[in-house]
Amino acid sequence: MAYQHTVHWVVDKHVDNLWKSPEIKEAAAKIAAGELVAFPTETVYGLGASARFDEAVKAIFQAKGRPADNPLIVHIAKTEDVNNYTNFVPDKAWKLIHSFWPGPLTIILRHNSTLSTSVTAGLDTVALRMPDHPVALALIAASGEPLAAPSANRSGRPSPTTAAHVAEDLDGRIAGILNGGATGVGLESTVIDCSAEEPVILRPGGVTRRQIEEIIGPVALDEALTEETTAPRSPGMKYQHYAPEAPLTLVDGDDSFFHMCITEHRKAGERVGVIIQAADVGLTKADVEYVLPGKTEEEIARELYGALRTFKKTEVDHIFMRVLPAENIGFAIMNRLVKAAGGRIRSQHS
Ligand code: TXA
Ligand code: MG
């Protein structure tokens, strides 16, 4: 769409009866009119439009610059709304719904053809999720619409965890942004396909494989996922994802190996940025340091996309970060990092 004035609404997520607030009502009216509104969820900000209007859904793809063959998640505010868009929900899917909704788990089911065909990219399945955020739930309730919402970034960029990140990418391209503060989890929802006999995790995220298996028993990981997350691929993977402005290289090695990688690049005349934990302050002598606050995997997940967005190409030529153990939410972190790095990993051991 041509230039649009983007409205910024600030909302307090702790207010009672949020769906009656003037900001939510205005935003809901835009959704009902087929326009695009960005809103916070507990994972990342989403770019929402009614999942029933094909034109509105197409506008999401256009605003993001997203390939049309990549389907969107449909956000609902009540678990029973699953029945509105599907004909059959397997037992295991209901168990997951009752255990994790509202929350960062997206469930793929066969749909009943009531939603826009663009939202499902023409597939016979739909991705459904009930977000755990009062602003998201209020917007869905006030508009009375299921919301198609991918992450509210330009395609290929790190997902937005604050309203400022959304504005950076989409100001002037969308009708409005509901600013409800920073999101919680910081990485997108886990995506699990429950449309066939055996459930398969397609994307790791806020809900871990172990948590899922505690409820429904063993689940498979999509093959591509294991390859992408554990083995470095050749640089330049099929789709660029989560990419910072300067190239990112992951480093797998001890302190002196990490230091050596950075020194090498600085000697070659590059300005080097690093994303590090507090324990590594002073180790690298990089030009720009981003120190991750906290050290649990959950805290790192929350800060990761913001960290990637901090580095501007005018300030650094290359970014380095050490790999993390790919366990629990660390598996989701590494999945995003390997993509952000386009598969570039320097390992001391190979
Ligand atoms: O946390 C999240 O999931 C965020 C917030 C805004 O809810 N949304 C999000 O949406 O990450 P997006 O569009 O960036 O990612 C949706 C993922 C994509 O990997 C897409 O390929 C997959 O879900 N997906 C959607 N529908 C699908 C389907 N029918 N079959 C397989 N994969 C599907
Ligand atoms: Mg995304």
Side-chain angles (χ1 to χ4, degrees):
M1 193 179 287
Y3 179 80
Q4 250 190 323
H5 171 66
T6 301
V7 186
H8 289 223
W9 300 282
V10 177
V11 280
D12 176 358
K13 67 177 179 185
H14 301 294
V15 163
D16 284 341
N17 290 322
L18 201 52
W19 61 280
K20 288 189 195 160
S21 75
E23 294 81 12
I24 297 284
K25 279 189 175 168
E26 258 183 59
K30 300 271 190 203
I31 295 286
E35 295 193 73
L36 309 185
V37 173
F39 60 94
T41 79
E42 82 281 29
T43 58
V44 300
Y45 272 74
L47 178 59
S50 167
R52 297 185 309 120
F53 305 151
D54 210 49
E55 287 310 307
V57 174
K58 283 189 173 137
I60 293 181
F61 285 90
Q62 215 191 354
K64 276 187 62 103
R66 177 177 175 119
D69 65 354
N70 192 2
L72 308 180
I73 295 170
V74 177
H75 297 68
I76 57 180
K78 297 195 294 276
T79 53
E80 60 268 30
D81 284 356
V82 167
N83 293 317
N84 297 346
Y85 311 114
T86 58
N87 291 324
F88 173 68
V89 181
D91 248 18
K92 285 182 180 174
W94 277 126
K95 283 189 180 151
L96 293 175
I97 288 169
H98 291 132
S99 303
F100 297 109
W101 283 10
L105 183 70
T106 294
I107 302 182
I108 295 184
L109 296 165
R110 298 179 78 85
H111 66 69
N112 65 2
S113 303
T114 53
L115 296 168
S116 135
T117 51
S118 299
V119 91
T120 57
L123 300 174
D124 54 14
T125 54
V126 63
L128 293 168
R129 141 167 151 84
M130 178 175 170
D132 187 15
H133 196 291
V135 174
L137 295 173
L139 182 64
I140 301 167
S143 64
E145 295 291 333
L147 291 184
S151 48
N153 51 283
R154 287 280 293 167
S155 204
R157 301 252 298 142
S159 301
T161 53
T162 67
H165 296 161
V166 179
E168 204 173 78
D169 281 16
L170 296 174
D171 244 352
R173 294 177 164 269
I174 62 177
I177 303 171
L178 278 165
N179 180 350
T183 58
V185 179
L187 296 179
E188 301 83 348
S189 62
T190 302
V191 177
I192 186 163
D193 187 347
C194 291
S195 67
E197 195 63 39
E198 294 303 324
V200 181
I201 295 177
L202 302 184
R203 178 175 76 179
V207 174
T208 64
R209 183 185 191 179
R210 183 178 304 165
Q211 287 174 304
I212 290 173
E213 291 187 330
E214 275 168 17
I215 306 298
I216 58 168
V219 290
L221 285 184
D222 189 54
E223 252 172 55
L225 204 58
T226 327
E227 285 166 24
E228 279 167 16
T229 308
T230 55
R233 289 245 214 118
S234 57
M237 297 192 295
K238 186 182 166 200
Y239 290 113
Q240 192 164 43
H241 266 302
Y242 317 109
E245 288 189 11
L248 169 70
T249 295
L250 301 176
V251 179
D252 183 6
D254 62 17
D255 286 1
S256 61
F257 183 75
F258 187 42
H259 177 256
M260 184 204 77
C261 291
I262 287 146
T263 310
E264 240 177 55
H265 281 260
R266 292 193 69 215
K267 279 193 180 147
E270 286 188 1
R271 294 161 304 169
V272 172
V274 287
I275 300 173
I276 52 176
Q277 291 182 255
D280 286 346
V281 170
L283 168 70
T284 64
K285 310 283 185 291
D287 300 280
V288 186
E289 282 190 343
Y290 185 103
V291 184
L292 292 162
K295 45 180 169 218
T296 66
E297 290 156 343
E298 282 75 17
E299 287 167 314
I300 293 170
R302 202 173 297 145
E303 293 292 326
L304 187 66
Y305 289 144
L308 292 172
R309 276 179 180 266
T310 320
F311 294 97
K312 301 298 166 200
K313 59 173 175 283
T314 49
E315 289 160 10
V316 297
D317 302 304
H318 211 126
I319 306 165
F320 289 85
M321 182 174 170
R322 296 177 92 161
V323 299
L324 299 164
E327 282 150 30
N328 299 316
I329 197 151
F331 186 63
I333 295 175
M334 280 307 296
N335 170 266
R336 306 309 194 273
L337 276 175
V338 170
K339 289 184 181 187
R344 273 181 304 271
I345 302 186
R346 279 197 66 180
S347 175
Q348 187 172 11
H349 321 289
S350 63

